[in-house]
Amino acid sequence: MNSGLLLVNKPRGVTSHDVVQIVRRRLGVPRSGHTGTLDPMAEGLLIVLIGKATAHQQAFQSHEKTYEATLRLGVQTYTGYATVKTIRTAPVPAGYHRRAADVLASFVGPLSQTPPAYSAVKVQGRPAYWWARRDRPVTLAPRSVHCFEMILRACEPGAIIFQVRCSAGTYVRTLGEAIAERLGTVGHLTRLVRLRIGGWRVEEAKPLSWIER
């Protein structure tokens, strides 16, 4: 394959850059790139552009996206994921499951959202997480995003599972923290799966193990 796109179902524990490097080595192509970062903790659909298709990277990045997330209530972490130290705890309100659907619906529409300190947003030529890891966090400007649809998938003890269809640039872990706040507590994501990018679905993607073999 000299030019085109490859749909990859990224597993947890690898970076989006890792996936691009694997595709580049496996196909023997000098140029390739992804169309939107998935954090190492996240999984799901990653579109990798190959060869001349990389010229259209910006257009692909503008597509709306759909995610499914598990939000654990009562514990806030530094990155918004379950992989690092706790920075705050709070009681989980009784009856939160009865309010969850209404709280999710309150987020439908335009939102102002500040990217998390551990993000790939570039500051002075380096991603924000580079500064955060060196205890030199930077101030990130709020951005306008849009949630088109918020669906409650399930309630578990101390957690909710929700699906969101949102604009490009939306940080679902930041959204999760805001949802927890409106429920009267704090929270972090224990699972995040990208289900769709524009018209492409994770069901159409190849697992990374298939590409590596």
Side-chain angles (χ1 to χ4, degrees):
M1 180 186 290
N2 296 320
S3 181
L5 61 85
L6 183 63
L7 306 183
V8 181
N9 188 349
K10 186 189 91 65
R12 291 176 64 133
V14 298
T15 69
S16 298
H17 180 70
D18 291 336
V19 174
V20 170
Q21 291 295 94
I22 290 168
V23 169
R24 189 175 296 168
R25 289 195 303 267
R26 185 68 181 86
L27 298 181
V29 293
R31 295 169 56 198
S32 60
H34 62 75
T35 66
T37 301
L38 273 178
D39 295 325
M41 179 267 182
E43 56 191 290
L45 180 59
L46 187 73
I47 298 178
V48 178
L49 300 179
I50 298 164
K52 294 180 180 178
T54 56
H56 304 286
Q57 188 174 33
Q58 189 170 358
F60 276 88
Q61 289 174 337
S62 66
H63 287 298
E64 66 180 46
K65 299 171 176 67
T66 301
Y67 299 87
E68 184 173 278
T70 300
L71 173 62
R72 176 65 56 186
L73 302 173
V75 178
Q76 183 179 9
T77 66
Y78 193 56
T79 65
Y81 288 133
T83 53
V84 295
K85 64 182 180 181
T86 296
I87 60 172
R88 185 183 169 199
T89 62
V92 178
Y96 71 88
H97 55 285
R98 291 191 292 271
R99 299 176 48 233
D102 289 339
V103 167
L104 290 174
S106 73
F107 283 90
V108 174
L111 300 171
S112 178
Q113 189 181 72
T114 301
Y118 273 83
S119 67
V121 175
K122 291 292 182 65
V123 180
Q124 298 178 29
R126 297 186 182 276
Y129 63 75
W130 187 91
W131 300 100
R133 287 172 180 168
R134 288 157 177 79
D135 293 323
R136 297 167 62 188
V138 292
T139 300
L140 299 174
R143 59 174 61 180
S144 296
V145 298
H146 198 110
C147 291
F148 303 103
E149 187 177 45
M150 297 282 288
I151 301 172
L152 179 64
R153 287 300 186 197
C155 286
E156 298 178 345
I160 65 170
I161 300 172
F162 67 94
Q163 183 174 304
V164 54
R165 180 168 60 88
C166 54
S167 64
T170 303
Y171 283 89
V172 182
R173 52 192 157 121
T174 301
L175 181 61
E177 290 178 333
I179 292 167
E181 183 178 0
R182 289 194 189 178
L183 286 171
T185 185
V186 295
H188 66 277
L189 298 190
T190 60
R191 179 174 174 267
L192 179 63
V193 183
R194 187 152 65 192
L195 304 175
R196 183 187 290 264
I197 301 173
W200 292 275
R201 300 176 300 161
V202 70
E203 291 85 358
E204 302 169 308
K206 296 293 187 182
L208 189 60
S209 58
W210 178 87
I211 298 167
E212 290 178 302
R213 69 187 182 190

